[in-house]
Amino acid sequence: MMLLMARWQPDARGRLEAAAFELFRERGFDQTTVTDIAARAGLDKRTFYRLFGDKREALFSGSGDLEDVLVKAVSETDAAPFEAVVAGFRRVAEEFFAGRIEVVRVRQSIIDSSPELQERELRKTGSLAVAVAAALRAKGLGETTATLATDSGVTVFRVAYARWVSPGGDEASLADLIAEVADELRAITSS
Amino acid sequence: MMLLMARWQPDARGRLEAAAFELFRERGFDQTTVTDIAARAGLDKRTFYRLFGDKREALFSGSGDLEDVLVKAVSETDAAPFEAVVAGFRRVAEEFFAGRIEVVRVRQSIIDSSPELQERELRKTGSLAVAVAAALRAKGLGETTATLATDSGVTVFRVAYARWVSPGGDEASLADLIAEVADELRAITSS
């Protein structure tokens, strides 16, 4: 019975996420209710709230896995702090974004359409940064160094991601763009 | 009549802000309602909503003025982009934070107590960054340079601010801490 539950829950999550994504794309985020999402997935509203907490969260369900991969990559490398964070984001680019540009673009256009979703995205990025900074401190780095390396790395990722995802954006892979933008940041701050 | 309105509105804003700040400090943000705030200020709930939109906004009313000062400072200097943003934040530190450490600490502890307020703070910082990047682009800088210089400057400000505001934090002025942290960022990214 427990095994059945464990198997059933990921399926329900996946169906609700897919239903939410479709409906947000078709009707817009504000025009979609949790009742609509549950109905499209053939589940009830209570199941949605139990698994996601709120409507926004359906668009951010991969964020825990992404954080795990990033933290592991940052923890395991011997590189200097800023380089470690950049390398971590390049790993994330390869595992979560490579080959998914179309879906990522649609998702981003949904987020860009709603201040509520933008707030949630910022909070997720903030939580990611907290985890990366903690991983750097666990390597013995001081608070300021850990935070500066983390936030500079997040900046590099955000700029590279914005270039990659923009309609008619760069053809380069996200991982390559991250390396390129990191070089540009070095140039700007060393002036 | 219009003049009277124009004079009356800032007073109502100020009274509501002061009432909100007092109540958030006394009872906590979640335990305070807009009705409580309006009652403490001797005004009605509709006036609050007309002036602030929502309860969170009462804690962020200086953000427009701060943005104006920052953008003006960034626009007017001839310094290189990153230096221009750092100089802008030092100006902000002098005009908005110097001599106000006690009030700033209380305000920050209220924000730290509520994920909702943290989201709003992140959105305000995001909007500030958009305005600074626009000011840099208006000086003829490219998108990537403008964004990297802005976000690195925001990072420097945030780290310096966190040091300054933390209980038992640095004795240095916020403006001096900003200069110091900017140097540390240069060192980290030039490795």
Side-chain angles (χ1 to χ4, degrees):
Chain A
M1 185 61 191
M2 282 306 291
L3 187 68
L4 210 70
M5 286 292 290
R7 281 185 55 80
W8 171 79
Q9 286 203 8
D11 287 348
R13 276 195 83 90
R15 277 155 63 196
L16 287 164
E17 274 169 40
F21 190 83
E22 282 172 22
L23 286 165
F24 296 162
R25 177 166 52 180
E26 290 167 20
R27 304 181 187 174
F29 177 77
D30 286 336
Q31 288 74 45
T32 301
T33 67
V34 168
T35 306
D36 298 335
I37 297 168
R40 171 81 57 114
L43 292 162
D44 64 23
K45 216 163 82 165
R46 276 177 38 216
T47 305
F48 182 94
Y49 281 115
R50 186 168 48 77
L51 293 172
F52 294 97
D54 67 19
K55 186 173 69 161
R56 293 188 265 181
E57 201 61 24
L59 216 47
F60 293 93
S61 70
S63 56
D65 292 344
L66 190 154
E67 184 171 306
D68 291 345
V69 166
L70 178 58
V71 164
K72 190 161 180 287
V74 169
S75 301
E76 286 174 358
T77 177
D78 291 329
F82 175 62
E83 280 64 35
V85 180
V86 169
F89 276 117
R90 295 190 68 200
R91 172 82 63 83
V92 161
E94 281 153 8
E95 293 199 20
F96 291 85
F97 295 91
R100 301 185 63 226
I101 181 83
E102 294 311 328
V103 170
V104 175
R105 275 189 184 144
V106 172
R107 177 176 174 280
Q108 196 58 45
S109 72
I110 295 166
I111 293 172
D112 291 345
S113 75
S114 156
E116 267 190 281
L117 286 170
Q118 288 164 41
E119 281 196 343
R120 181 60 53 88
E121 185 181 40
L122 286 169
R123 204 212 284 188
K124 294 288 179 184
T125 310
S127 141
L128 203 68
V130 166
V132 170
L136 290 175
R137 283 197 306 271
K139 298 172 93 171
L141 295 165
E143 180 65 39
T144 299
T145 302
T147 306
L148 289 176
T150 298
D151 289 4
S152 302
V154 168
T155 293
V156 165
F157 177 77
R158 286 182 44 240
V159 169
Y161 173 81
R163 267 206 217 163
W164 184 66
V165 86
S166 66
D170 265 280
E171 305 259 313
S173 75
L174 180 56
D176 286 350
L177 283 171
I178 290 169
E180 197 181 301
V181 173
D183 285 341
E184 295 185 53
L185 181 63
R186 284 187 194 95
I188 286 169
T189 54
S190 70
S191 61
Chain B
M1 184 60 190
M2 283 305 290
L3 187 67
L4 210 69
M5 287 291 289
R7 282 184 54 81
W8 171 79
Q9 285 203 8
D11 287 347
R13 277 195 83 90
R15 277 155 62 195
L16 287 163
E17 275 168 40
F21 190 84
E22 282 172 21
L23 287 164
F24 296 163
R25 177 166 52 178
E26 289 166 19
R27 305 181 187 174
F29 178 76
D30 286 337
Q31 288 74 45
T32 301
T33 66
V34 167
T35 305
D36 298 334
I37 298 168
R40 171 82 56 113
L43 293 161
D44 64 23
K45 216 163 82 165
R46 276 179 36 219
T47 304
F48 182 94
Y49 281 114
R50 185 168 47 77
L51 292 173
F52 294 97
D54 66 19
K55 186 173 68 159
R56 293 188 265 181
E57 201 61 24
L59 216 46
F60 293 94
S61 71
S63 56
D65 292 342
L66 189 154
E67 185 172 306
D68 291 345
V69 166
L70 178 59
V71 164
K72 189 160 179 286
V74 169
S75 301
E76 286 174 357
T77 176
D78 290 329
F82 174 64
E83 280 65 34
V85 179
V86 170
F89 276 117
R90 296 190 68 199
R91 173 81 62 85
V92 161
E94 282 152 8
E95 292 200 20
F96 291 85
F97 295 91
R100 300 186 63 226
I101 183 80
E102 294 311 328
V103 170
V104 174
R105 276 189 182 144
V106 172
R107 178 176 174 278
Q108 195 57 45
S109 71
I110 296 166
I111 293 173
D112 291 344
S113 74
S114 157
E116 267 188 281
L117 286 170
Q118 289 164 42
E119 282 197 344
R120 181 60 53 88
E121 184 181 42
L122 286 169
R123 204 211 284 187
K124 293 288 178 184
T125 310
S127 141
L128 203 67
V130 166
V132 170
L136 289 175
R137 285 198 305 272
K139 296 172 96 170
L141 294 165
E143 180 65 38
T144 300
T145 302
T147 307
L148 289 176
T150 298
D151 288 5
S152 301
V154 169
T155 292
V156 165
F157 177 77
R158 285 183 44 240
V159 170
Y161 173 81
R163 266 205 218 165
W164 185 67
V165 87
S166 68
D170 265 280
E171 304 260 313
S173 75
L174 180 56
D176 285 351
L177 282 171
I178 290 170
E180 197 182 301
V181 173
D183 285 341
E184 295 185 52
L185 180 63
R186 284 187 194 95
I188 285 170
T189 53
S190 69
S191 64

